[in-house]
mmCIF file with all atom_site columns, all heavy atoms in Angstrom:
data_model
loop_
_atom_site.group_PDB
_atom_site.id
_atom_site.type_symbol
_atom_site.label_atom_id
_atom_site.label_alt_id
_atom_site.label_comp_id
_atom_site.label_asym_id
_atom_site.label_entity_id
_atom_site.label_seq_id
_atom_site.pdbx_PDB_ins_code
_atom_site.Cartn_x
_atom_site.Cartn_y
_atom_site.Cartn_z
_atom_site.occupancy
_atom_site.B_iso_or_equiv
_atom_site.pdbx_formal_charge
_atom_site.auth_seq_id
_atom_site.auth_comp_id
_atom_site.auth_asym_id
_atom_site.auth_atom_id
_atom_site.pdbx_PDB_model_num
ATOM 1   N N   . VAL A 1 25  ? 1.857   -12.611 -13.556 1.00 94.00 ? 25  VAL A N   1
ATOM 2   C CA  . VAL A 1 25  ? 3.091   -13.086 -12.909 1.00 94.00 ? 25  VAL A CA  1
ATOM 3   C C   . VAL A 1 25  ? 2.710   -13.668 -11.515 1.00 94.00 ? 25  VAL A C   1
ATOM 4   O O   . VAL A 1 25  ? 3.195   -14.720 -11.091 1.00 94.00 ? 25  VAL A O   1
ATOM 5   C CB  . VAL A 1 25  ? 4.198   -12.088 -12.742 1.00 94.00 ? 25  VAL A CB  1
ATOM 6   C CG1 . VAL A 1 25  ? 5.356   -12.621 -11.928 1.00 94.00 ? 25  VAL A CG1 1
ATOM 7   C CG2 . VAL A 1 25  ? 4.607   -11.524 -14.112 1.00 94.00 ? 25  VAL A CG2 1
ATOM 8   N N   . TYR A 1 26  ? 1.781   -13.061 -10.849 1.00 95.00 ? 26  TYR A N   1
ATOM 9   C CA  . TYR A 1 26  ? 1.451   -13.370 -9.483  1.00 95.00 ? 26  TYR A CA  1
ATOM 10  C C   . TYR A 1 26  ? 0.128   -14.220 -9.332  1.00 95.00 ? 26  TYR A C   1
ATOM 11  O O   . TYR A 1 26  ? -0.306  -14.539 -8.369  1.00 95.00 ? 26  TYR A O   1
ATOM 12  C CB  . TYR A 1 26  ? 1.377   -12.184 -8.615  1.00 95.00 ? 26  TYR A CB  1
ATOM 13  C CG  . TYR A 1 26  ? 2.791   -11.534 -8.441  1.00 95.00 ? 26  TYR A CG  1
ATOM 14  C CD1 . TYR A 1 26  ? 3.194   -10.570 -9.285  1.00 95.00 ? 26  TYR A CD1 1
ATOM 15  C CD2 . TYR A 1 26  ? 3.636   -12.005 -7.539  1.00 95.00 ? 26  TYR A CD2 1
ATOM 16  C CE1 . TYR A 1 26  ? 4.451   -9.966  -9.176  1.00 95.00 ? 26  TYR A CE1 1
ATOM 17  C CE2 . TYR A 1 26  ? 4.971   -11.502 -7.501  1.00 95.00 ? 26  TYR A CE2 1
ATOM 18  C CZ  . TYR A 1 26  ? 5.382   -10.493 -8.297  1.00 95.00 ? 26  TYR A CZ  1
ATOM 19  O OH  . TYR A 1 26  ? 6.599   -9.876  -8.221  1.00 95.00 ? 26  TYR A OH  1
ATOM 20  N N   . ASP A 1 35  ? -5.024  -23.415 -19.489 1.00 87.00 ? 35  ASP A N   1
ATOM 21  C CA  . ASP A 1 35  ? -6.325  -23.121 -20.140 1.00 87.00 ? 35  ASP A CA  1
ATOM 22  C C   . ASP A 1 35  ? -6.912  -21.806 -19.528 1.00 87.00 ? 35  ASP A C   1
ATOM 23  O O   . ASP A 1 35  ? -7.807  -21.209 -20.243 1.00 87.00 ? 35  ASP A O   1
ATOM 24  C CB  . ASP A 1 35  ? -7.356  -24.192 -19.781 1.00 87.00 ? 35  ASP A CB  1
ATOM 25  C CG  . ASP A 1 35  ? -7.078  -25.507 -20.547 1.00 87.00 ? 35  ASP A CG  1
ATOM 26  O OD1 . ASP A 1 35  ? -6.471  -25.324 -21.636 1.00 87.00 ? 35  ASP A OD1 1
ATOM 27  O OD2 . ASP A 1 35  ? -7.364  -26.636 -20.124 1.00 87.00 ? 35  ASP A OD2 1
ATOM 28  N N   . PRO A 1 37  ? -6.811  -18.010 -19.156 1.00 89.00 ? 37  PRO A N   1
ATOM 29  C CA  . PRO A 1 37  ? -6.198  -16.956 -19.880 1.00 89.00 ? 37  PRO A CA  1
ATOM 30  C C   . PRO A 1 37  ? -5.304  -15.931 -19.093 1.00 89.00 ? 37  PRO A C   1
ATOM 31  O O   . PRO A 1 37  ? -4.702  -15.092 -19.698 1.00 89.00 ? 37  PRO A O   1
ATOM 32  C CB  . PRO A 1 37  ? -7.311  -16.215 -20.645 1.00 89.00 ? 37  PRO A CB  1
ATOM 33  C CG  . PRO A 1 37  ? -8.504  -16.593 -20.022 1.00 89.00 ? 37  PRO A CG  1
ATOM 34  C CD  . PRO A 1 37  ? -8.274  -17.840 -19.236 1.00 89.00 ? 37  PRO A CD  1
ATOM 35  N N   . GLN A 1 41  ? -5.805  -10.845 -19.297 1.00 93.00 ? 41  GLN A N   1
ATOM 36  C CA  . GLN A 1 41  ? -6.681  -11.126 -20.442 1.00 93.00 ? 41  GLN A CA  1
ATOM 37  C C   . GLN A 1 41  ? -8.117  -11.428 -19.935 1.00 93.00 ? 41  GLN A C   1
ATOM 38  O O   . GLN A 1 41  ? -9.029  -10.954 -20.529 1.00 93.00 ? 41  GLN A O   1
ATOM 39  C CB  . GLN A 1 41  ? -6.113  -12.521 -21.146 1.00 93.00 ? 41  GLN A CB  1
ATOM 40  C CG  . GLN A 1 41  ? -6.883  -12.849 -22.296 1.00 93.00 ? 41  GLN A CG  1
ATOM 41  C CD  . GLN A 1 41  ? -6.892  -11.860 -23.418 1.00 93.00 ? 41  GLN A CD  1
ATOM 42  O OE1 . GLN A 1 41  ? -6.011  -11.016 -23.502 1.00 93.00 ? 41  GLN A OE1 1
ATOM 43  N NE2 . GLN A 1 41  ? -7.980  -11.876 -24.221 1.00 93.00 ? 41  GLN A NE2 1
ATOM 44  N N   . ALA A 1 73  ? -1.135  -7.290  -6.545  1.00 97.00 ? 73  ALA A N   1
ATOM 45  C CA  . ALA A 1 73  ? 0.076   -7.019  -7.379  1.00 97.00 ? 73  ALA A CA  1
ATOM 46  C C   . ALA A 1 73  ? -0.115  -5.792  -8.304  1.00 97.00 ? 73  ALA A C   1
ATOM 47  O O   . ALA A 1 73  ? 0.910   -5.244  -8.633  1.00 97.00 ? 73  ALA A O   1
ATOM 48  C CB  . ALA A 1 73  ? 0.441   -8.280  -8.226  1.00 97.00 ? 73  ALA A CB  1
ATOM 49  N N   . ASN A 1 76  ? -1.514  -0.283  -10.688 1.00 93.00 ? 76  ASN A N   1
ATOM 50  C CA  . ASN A 1 76  ? -2.374  0.798   -11.084 1.00 93.00 ? 76  ASN A CA  1
ATOM 51  C C   . ASN A 1 76  ? -3.807  0.606   -10.384 1.00 93.00 ? 76  ASN A C   1
ATOM 52  O O   . ASN A 1 76  ? -4.764  1.229   -10.808 1.00 93.00 ? 76  ASN A O   1
ATOM 53  C CB  . ASN A 1 76  ? -2.521  0.832   -12.518 1.00 93.00 ? 76  ASN A CB  1
ATOM 54  C CG  . ASN A 1 76  ? -1.245  1.375   -13.148 1.00 93.00 ? 76  ASN A CG  1
ATOM 55  O OD1 . ASN A 1 76  ? -0.962  2.461   -13.036 1.00 93.00 ? 76  ASN A OD1 1
ATOM 56  N ND2 . ASN A 1 76  ? -0.507  0.413   -13.784 1.00 93.00 ? 76  ASN A ND2 1
ATOM 57  N N   . ARG A 1 280 ? -7.422  -8.028  14.594  1.00 98.00 ? 280 ARG A N   1
ATOM 58  C CA  . ARG A 1 280 ? -7.115  -6.573  14.394  1.00 98.00 ? 280 ARG A CA  1
ATOM 59  C C   . ARG A 1 280 ? -7.614  -5.773  15.611  1.00 98.00 ? 280 ARG A C   1
ATOM 60  O O   . ARG A 1 280 ? -6.874  -4.928  16.152  1.00 98.00 ? 280 ARG A O   1
ATOM 61  C CB  . ARG A 1 280 ? -7.791  -6.138  13.153  1.00 98.00 ? 280 ARG A CB  1
ATOM 62  C CG  . ARG A 1 280 ? -7.559  -4.632  12.772  1.00 98.00 ? 280 ARG A CG  1
ATOM 63  C CD  . ARG A 1 280 ? -8.193  -4.237  11.423  1.00 98.00 ? 280 ARG A CD  1
ATOM 64  N NE  . ARG A 1 280 ? -7.786  -2.898  11.007  1.00 98.00 ? 280 ARG A NE  1
ATOM 65  C CZ  . ARG A 1 280 ? -8.571  -1.828  11.157  1.00 98.00 ? 280 ARG A CZ  1
ATOM 66  N NH1 . ARG A 1 280 ? -9.832  -2.013  11.611  1.00 98.00 ? 280 ARG A NH1 1
ATOM 67  N NH2 . ARG A 1 280 ? -8.110  -0.623  10.809  1.00 98.00 ? 280 ARG A NH2 1
ATOM 68  N N   . ASP A 1 287 ? -2.076  -2.570  21.528  1.00 97.00 ? 287 ASP A N   1
ATOM 69  C CA  . ASP A 1 287 ? -1.145  -1.572  21.070  1.00 97.00 ? 287 ASP A CA  1
ATOM 70  C C   . ASP A 1 287 ? -1.375  -0.222  21.624  1.00 97.00 ? 287 ASP A C   1
ATOM 71  O O   . ASP A 1 287 ? -0.463  0.593   21.905  1.00 97.00 ? 287 ASP A O   1
ATOM 72  C CB  . ASP A 1 287 ? -1.268  -1.473  19.519  1.00 97.00 ? 287 ASP A CB  1
ATOM 73  C CG  . ASP A 1 287 ? -0.134  -0.776  18.931  1.00 97.00 ? 287 ASP A CG  1
ATOM 74  O OD1 . ASP A 1 287 ? 1.090   -1.062  19.272  1.00 97.00 ? 287 ASP A OD1 1
ATOM 75  O OD2 . ASP A 1 287 ? -0.317  0.071   18.043  1.00 97.00 ? 287 ASP A OD2 1
ATOM 76  N N   . TRP A 1 316 ? -4.218  -7.274  6.461   1.00 98.00 ? 316 TRP A N   1
ATOM 77  C CA  . TRP A 1 316 ? -4.269  -7.333  7.964   1.00 98.00 ? 316 TRP A CA  1
ATOM 78  C C   . TRP A 1 316 ? -3.524  -8.491  8.557   1.00 98.00 ? 316 TRP A C   1
ATOM 79  O O   . TRP A 1 316 ? -3.516  -8.793  9.735   1.00 98.00 ? 316 TRP A O   1
ATOM 80  C CB  . TRP A 1 316 ? -5.752  -7.453  8.444   1.00 98.00 ? 316 TRP A CB  1
ATOM 81  C CG  . TRP A 1 316 ? -6.557  -6.211  8.174   1.00 98.00 ? 316 TRP A CG  1
ATOM 82  C CD1 . TRP A 1 316 ? -6.041  -4.998  7.659   1.00 98.00 ? 316 TRP A CD1 1
ATOM 83  C CD2 . TRP A 1 316 ? -7.991  -5.960  8.437   1.00 98.00 ? 316 TRP A CD2 1
ATOM 84  N NE1 . TRP A 1 316 ? -7.104  -4.057  7.556   1.00 98.00 ? 316 TRP A NE1 1
ATOM 85  C CE2 . TRP A 1 316 ? -8.277  -4.723  7.978   1.00 98.00 ? 316 TRP A CE2 1
ATOM 86  C CE3 . TRP A 1 316 ? -8.885  -6.809  8.887   1.00 98.00 ? 316 TRP A CE3 1
ATOM 87  C CZ2 . TRP A 1 316 ? -9.535  -4.150  8.126   1.00 98.00 ? 316 TRP A CZ2 1
ATOM 88  C CZ3 . TRP A 1 316 ? -10.220 -6.293  9.039   1.00 98.00 ? 316 TRP A CZ3 1
ATOM 89  C CH2 . TRP A 1 316 ? -10.438 -4.968  8.628   1.00 98.00 ? 316 TRP A CH2 1
ATOM 90  N N   . LYS A 1 325 ? 3.249   -13.056 17.818  1.00 97.00 ? 325 LYS A N   1
ATOM 91  C CA  . LYS A 1 325 ? 4.642   -12.860 18.326  1.00 97.00 ? 325 LYS A CA  1
ATOM 92  C C   . LYS A 1 325 ? 4.657   -12.343 19.781  1.00 97.00 ? 325 LYS A C   1
ATOM 93  O O   . LYS A 1 325 ? 5.707   -12.541 20.431  1.00 97.00 ? 325 LYS A O   1
ATOM 94  C CB  . LYS A 1 325 ? 5.257   -11.705 17.420  1.00 97.00 ? 325 LYS A CB  1
ATOM 95  C CG  . LYS A 1 325 ? 5.749   -12.253 16.111  1.00 97.00 ? 325 LYS A CG  1
ATOM 96  C CD  . LYS A 1 325 ? 6.408   -11.097 15.305  1.00 97.00 ? 325 LYS A CD  1
ATOM 97  C CE  . LYS A 1 325 ? 6.607   -11.326 13.952  1.00 97.00 ? 325 LYS A CE  1
ATOM 98  N NZ  . LYS A 1 325 ? 6.787   -10.141 13.128  1.00 97.00 ? 325 LYS A NZ  1
ATOM 99  N N   . MET B 2 1   ? 0.537   1.171   15.177  1.00 95.00 ? 1   MET B N   1
ATOM 100 C CA  . MET B 2 1   ? 1.652   0.262   15.244  1.00 95.00 ? 1   MET B CA  1
ATOM 101 C C   . MET B 2 1   ? 2.944   1.059   14.992  1.00 95.00 ? 1   MET B C   1
ATOM 102 O O   . MET B 2 1   ? 3.005   1.921   14.204  1.00 95.00 ? 1   MET B O   1
ATOM 103 C CB  . MET B 2 1   ? 1.429   -0.716  14.110  1.00 95.00 ? 1   MET B CB  1
ATOM 104 C CG  . MET B 2 1   ? 2.375   -1.905  14.144  1.00 95.00 ? 1   MET B CG  1
ATOM 105 S SD  . MET B 2 1   ? 2.083   -3.194  12.915  1.00 95.00 ? 1   MET B SD  1
ATOM 106 C CE  . MET B 2 1   ? 0.587   -3.900  13.551  1.00 95.00 ? 1   MET B CE  1
ATOM 107 N N   . GLN B 2 35  ? 2.980   -3.943  -7.339  1.00 94.00 ? 35  GLN B N   1
ATOM 108 C CA  . GLN B 2 35  ? 4.314   -4.234  -7.648  1.00 94.00 ? 35  GLN B CA  1
ATOM 109 C C   . GLN B 2 35  ? 4.980   -3.076  -8.391  1.00 94.00 ? 35  GLN B C   1
ATOM 110 O O   . GLN B 2 35  ? 4.283   -2.238  -8.848  1.00 94.00 ? 35  GLN B O   1
ATOM 111 C CB  . GLN B 2 35  ? 4.290   -5.487  -8.542  1.00 94.00 ? 35  GLN B CB  1
ATOM 112 C CG  . GLN B 2 35  ? 3.994   -6.830  -7.641  1.00 94.00 ? 35  GLN B CG  1
ATOM 113 C CD  . GLN B 2 35  ? 5.050   -7.133  -6.636  1.00 94.00 ? 35  GLN B CD  1
ATOM 114 O OE1 . GLN B 2 35  ? 6.099   -6.498  -6.572  1.00 94.00 ? 35  GLN B OE1 1
ATOM 115 N NE2 . GLN B 2 35  ? 4.734   -8.145  -5.861  1.00 94.00 ? 35  GLN B NE2 1
ATOM 116 N N   . HIS B 2 39  ? 9.741   -4.652  -12.293 1.00 95.00 ? 39  HIS B N   1
ATOM 117 C CA  . HIS B 2 39  ? 9.276   -5.693  -13.157 1.00 95.00 ? 39  HIS B CA  1
ATOM 118 C C   . HIS B 2 39  ? 9.468   -5.311  -14.700 1.00 95.00 ? 39  HIS B C   1
ATOM 119 O O   . HIS B 2 39  ? 9.214   -6.104  -15.495 1.00 95.00 ? 39  HIS B O   1
ATOM 120 C CB  . HIS B 2 39  ? 7.712   -5.972  -12.951 1.00 95.00 ? 39  HIS B CB  1
ATOM 121 C CG  . HIS B 2 39  ? 7.442   -6.542  -11.654 1.00 95.00 ? 39  HIS B CG  1
ATOM 122 N ND1 . HIS B 2 39  ? 7.717   -5.908  -10.418 1.00 95.00 ? 39  HIS B ND1 1
ATOM 123 C CD2 . HIS B 2 39  ? 7.067   -7.797  -11.357 1.00 95.00 ? 39  HIS B CD2 1
ATOM 124 C CE1 . HIS B 2 39  ? 7.393   -6.747  -9.439  1.00 95.00 ? 39  HIS B CE1 1
ATOM 125 N NE2 . HIS B 2 39  ? 6.984   -7.809  -9.959  1.00 95.00 ? 39  HIS B NE2 1
ATOM 126 N N   . VAL B 2 179 ? 1.315   -26.450 -24.256 1.00 82.00 ? 179 VAL B N   1
ATOM 127 C CA  . VAL B 2 179 ? 0.135   -26.084 -23.546 1.00 82.00 ? 179 VAL B CA  1
ATOM 128 C C   . VAL B 2 179 ? -0.034  -24.644 -23.382 1.00 82.00 ? 179 VAL B C   1
ATOM 129 O O   . VAL B 2 179 ? -1.151  -24.101 -23.405 1.00 82.00 ? 179 VAL B O   1
ATOM 130 C CB  . VAL B 2 179 ? 0.141   -26.784 -22.045 1.00 82.00 ? 179 VAL B CB  1
ATOM 131 C CG1 . VAL B 2 179 ? -0.121  -28.269 -22.209 1.00 82.00 ? 179 VAL B CG1 1
ATOM 132 C CG2 . VAL B 2 179 ? 1.362   -26.519 -21.332 1.00 82.00 ? 179 VAL B CG2 1
ATOM 133 N N   . LYS B 2 182 ? -2.073  -22.569 -25.825 1.00 76.00 ? 182 LYS B N   1
ATOM 134 C CA  . LYS B 2 182 ? -3.599  -22.637 -25.963 1.00 76.00 ? 182 LYS B CA  1
ATOM 135 C C   . LYS B 2 182 ? -4.145  -21.318 -25.831 1.00 76.00 ? 182 LYS B C   1
ATOM 136 O O   . LYS B 2 182 ? -5.298  -20.931 -26.398 1.00 76.00 ? 182 LYS B O   1
ATOM 137 C CB  . LYS B 2 182 ? -4.109  -23.453 -24.768 1.00 76.00 ? 182 LYS B CB  1
ATOM 138 C CG  . LYS B 2 182 ? -3.918  -24.955 -24.941 1.00 76.00 ? 182 LYS B CG  1
ATOM 139 C CD  . LYS B 2 182 ? -4.673  -25.597 -23.821 1.00 76.00 ? 182 LYS B CD  1
ATOM 140 C CE  . LYS B 2 182 ? -4.413  -27.122 -23.867 1.00 76.00 ? 182 LYS B CE  1
ATOM 141 N NZ  . LYS B 2 182 ? -4.946  -27.849 -22.647 1.00 76.00 ? 182 LYS B NZ  1
ATOM 142 N N   . THR B 2 185 ? -2.518  -15.136 -25.829 1.00 73.00 ? 185 THR B N   1
ATOM 143 C CA  . THR B 2 185 ? -1.950  -13.927 -25.191 1.00 73.00 ? 185 THR B CA  1
ATOM 144 C C   . THR B 2 185 ? -0.828  -14.248 -24.154 1.00 73.00 ? 185 THR B C   1
ATOM 145 O O   . THR B 2 185 ? -0.280  -13.259 -23.654 1.00 73.00 ? 185 THR B O   1
ATOM 146 C CB  . THR B 2 185 ? -3.019  -13.095 -24.543 1.00 73.00 ? 185 THR B CB  1
ATOM 147 O OG1 . THR B 2 185 ? -3.684  -14.114 -23.510 1.00 73.00 ? 185 THR B OG1 1
ATOM 148 C CG2 . THR B 2 185 ? -4.128  -12.644 -25.401 1.00 73.00 ? 185 THR B CG2 1
ATOM 149 N N   . GLU B 2 186 ? -0.779  -15.498 -23.862 1.00 78.00 ? 186 GLU B N   1
ATOM 150 C CA  . GLU B 2 186 ? 0.028   -15.875 -22.641 1.00 78.00 ? 186 GLU B CA  1
ATOM 151 C C   . GLU B 2 186 ? 1.466   -16.374 -22.980 1.00 78.00 ? 186 GLU B C   1
ATOM 152 O O   . GLU B 2 186 ? 2.147   -16.922 -22.109 1.00 78.00 ? 186 GLU B O   1
ATOM 153 C CB  . GLU B 2 186 ? -0.681  -16.833 -21.825 1.00 78.00 ? 186 GLU B CB  1
ATOM 154 C CG  . GLU B 2 186 ? -1.972  -16.256 -21.281 1.00 78.00 ? 186 GLU B CG  1
ATOM 155 C CD  . GLU B 2 186 ? -1.813  -14.846 -20.605 1.00 78.00 ? 186 GLU B CD  1
ATOM 156 O OE1 . GLU B 2 186 ? -0.894  -14.670 -19.821 1.00 78.00 ? 186 GLU B OE1 1
ATOM 157 O OE2 . GLU B 2 186 ? -2.535  -13.960 -20.930 1.00 78.00 ? 186 GLU B OE2 1
ATOM 158 N N   . ARG B 2 194 ? 8.174   -20.384 -16.131 1.00 90.00 ? 194 ARG B N   1
ATOM 159 C CA  . ARG B 2 194 ? 7.743   -21.403 -15.168 1.00 90.00 ? 194 ARG B CA  1
ATOM 160 C C   . ARG B 2 194 ? 7.830   -22.889 -15.649 1.00 90.00 ? 194 ARG B C   1
ATOM 161 O O   . ARG B 2 194 ? 7.780   -23.733 -14.975 1.00 90.00 ? 194 ARG B O   1
ATOM 162 C CB  . ARG B 2 194 ? 6.162   -21.126 -14.814 1.00 90.00 ? 194 ARG B CB  1
ATOM 163 C CG  . ARG B 2 194 ? 6.123   -19.916 -13.936 1.00 90.00 ? 194 ARG B CG  1
ATOM 164 C CD  . ARG B 2 194 ? 4.624   -19.626 -14.028 1.00 90.00 ? 194 ARG B CD  1
ATOM 165 N NE  . ARG B 2 194 ? 4.293   -18.627 -12.939 1.00 90.00 ? 194 ARG B NE  1
ATOM 166 C CZ  . ARG B 2 194 ? 3.237   -17.850 -12.988 1.00 90.00 ? 194 ARG B CZ  1
ATOM 167 N NH1 . ARG B 2 194 ? 2.461   -17.851 -14.060 1.00 90.00 ? 194 ARG B NH1 1
ATOM 168 N NH2 . ARG B 2 194 ? 2.970   -16.962 -12.094 1.00 90.00 ? 194 ARG B NH2 1
ATOM 169 N N   . GLU B 2 272 ? 9.066   -6.094  7.728   1.00 97.00 ? 272 GLU B N   1
ATOM 170 C CA  . GLU B 2 272 ? 7.571   -6.379  7.491   1.00 97.00 ? 272 GLU B CA  1
ATOM 171 C C   . GLU B 2 272 ? 7.281   -5.732  6.110   1.00 97.00 ? 272 GLU B C   1
ATOM 172 O O   . GLU B 2 272 ? 7.491   -4.551  5.894   1.00 97.00 ? 272 GLU B O   1
ATOM 173 C CB  . GLU B 2 272 ? 6.676   -5.622  8.556   1.00 97.00 ? 272 GLU B CB  1
ATOM 174 C CG  . GLU B 2 272 ? 6.675   -6.381  9.856   1.00 97.00 ? 272 GLU B CG  1
ATOM 175 C CD  . GLU B 2 272 ? 5.778   -7.597  9.866   1.00 97.00 ? 272 GLU B CD  1
ATOM 176 O OE1 . GLU B 2 272 ? 5.066   -7.852  8.792   1.00 97.00 ? 272 GLU B OE1 1
ATOM 177 O OE2 . GLU B 2 272 ? 5.725   -8.349  10.903  1.00 97.00 ? 272 GLU B OE2 1
ATOM 178 N N   . ASN B 2 296 ? -5.601  0.228   3.516   1.00 97.00 ? 296 ASN B N   1
ATOM 179 C CA  . ASN B 2 296 ? -5.992  -1.028  4.301   1.00 97.00 ? 296 ASN B CA  1
ATOM 180 C C   . ASN B 2 296 ? -6.104  -0.909  5.773   1.00 97.00 ? 296 ASN B C   1
ATOM 181 O O   . ASN B 2 296 ? -6.960  -1.579  6.356   1.00 97.00 ? 296 ASN B O   1
ATOM 182 C CB  . ASN B 2 296 ? -5.008  -2.197  3.848   1.00 97.00 ? 296 ASN B CB  1
ATOM 183 C CG  . ASN B 2 296 ? -5.133  -2.645  2.456   1.00 97.00 ? 296 ASN B CG  1
ATOM 184 O OD1 . ASN B 2 296 ? -6.201  -2.452  1.854   1.00 97.00 ? 296 ASN B OD1 1
ATOM 185 N ND2 . ASN B 2 296 ? -4.247  -3.392  1.978   1.00 97.00 ? 296 ASN B ND2 1
ATOM 186 N N   . LEU B 2 297 ? -5.148  -0.289  6.274   1.00 97.00 ? 297 LEU B N   1
ATOM 187 C CA  . LEU B 2 297 ? -5.089  -0.266  7.777   1.00 97.00 ? 297 LEU B CA  1
ATOM 188 C C   . LEU B 2 297 ? -6.094  0.790   8.342   1.00 97.00 ? 297 LEU B C   1
ATOM 189 O O   . LEU B 2 297 ? -6.256  0.842   9.601   1.00 97.00 ? 297 LEU B O   1
ATOM 190 C CB  . LEU B 2 297 ? -3.643  0.090   8.270   1.00 97.00 ? 297 LEU B CB  1
ATOM 191 C CG  . LEU B 2 297 ? -2.597  -0.942  7.725   1.00 97.00 ? 297 LEU B CG  1
ATOM 192 C CD1 . LEU B 2 297 ? -1.207  -0.688  8.406   1.00 97.00 ? 297 LEU B CD1 1
ATOM 193 C CD2 . LEU B 2 297 ? -2.960  -2.418  7.999   1.00 97.00 ? 297 LEU B CD2 1
ATOM 194 N N   . HIS B 2 317 ? 3.587   6.386   -9.897  1.00 95.00 ? 317 HIS B N   1
ATOM 195 C CA  . HIS B 2 317 ? 2.536   7.204   -9.188  1.00 95.00 ? 317 HIS B CA  1
ATOM 196 C C   . HIS B 2 317 ? 3.094   7.976   -8.147  1.00 95.00 ? 317 HIS B C   1
ATOM 197 O O   . HIS B 2 317 ? 2.436   8.431   -7.207  1.00 95.00 ? 317 HIS B O   1
ATOM 198 C CB  . HIS B 2 317 ? 1.352   6.413   -8.777  1.00 95.00 ? 317 HIS B CB  1
ATOM 199 C CG  . HIS B 2 317 ? 0.789   5.518   -9.895  1.00 95.00 ? 317 HIS B CG  1
ATOM 200 N ND1 . HIS B 2 317 ? 0.357   6.054   -11.074 1.00 95.00 ? 317 HIS B ND1 1
ATOM 201 C CD2 . HIS B 2 317 ? 0.643   4.197   -10.014 1.00 95.00 ? 317 HIS B CD2 1
ATOM 202 C CE1 . HIS B 2 317 ? -0.106  5.037   -11.864 1.00 95.00 ? 317 HIS B CE1 1
ATOM 203 N NE2 . HIS B 2 317 ? 0.124   3.885   -11.201 1.00 95.00 ? 317 HIS B NE2 1
#
Side-chain angles (χ1 to χ4, degrees):
Chain A
V25 175
Y26 293 93
D35 286 335
Q41 179 64 23
N76 289 292
R280 179 172 187 260
D287 197 44
W316 293 355
K325 280 183 201 163
Chain B
M1 191 175 289
Q35 290 292 356
H39 290 68
V179 286
K182 282 186 185 174
T185 56
E186 300 308 312
R194 290 167 163 156
E272 284 284 354
N296 284 344
L297 304 185
H317 310 301

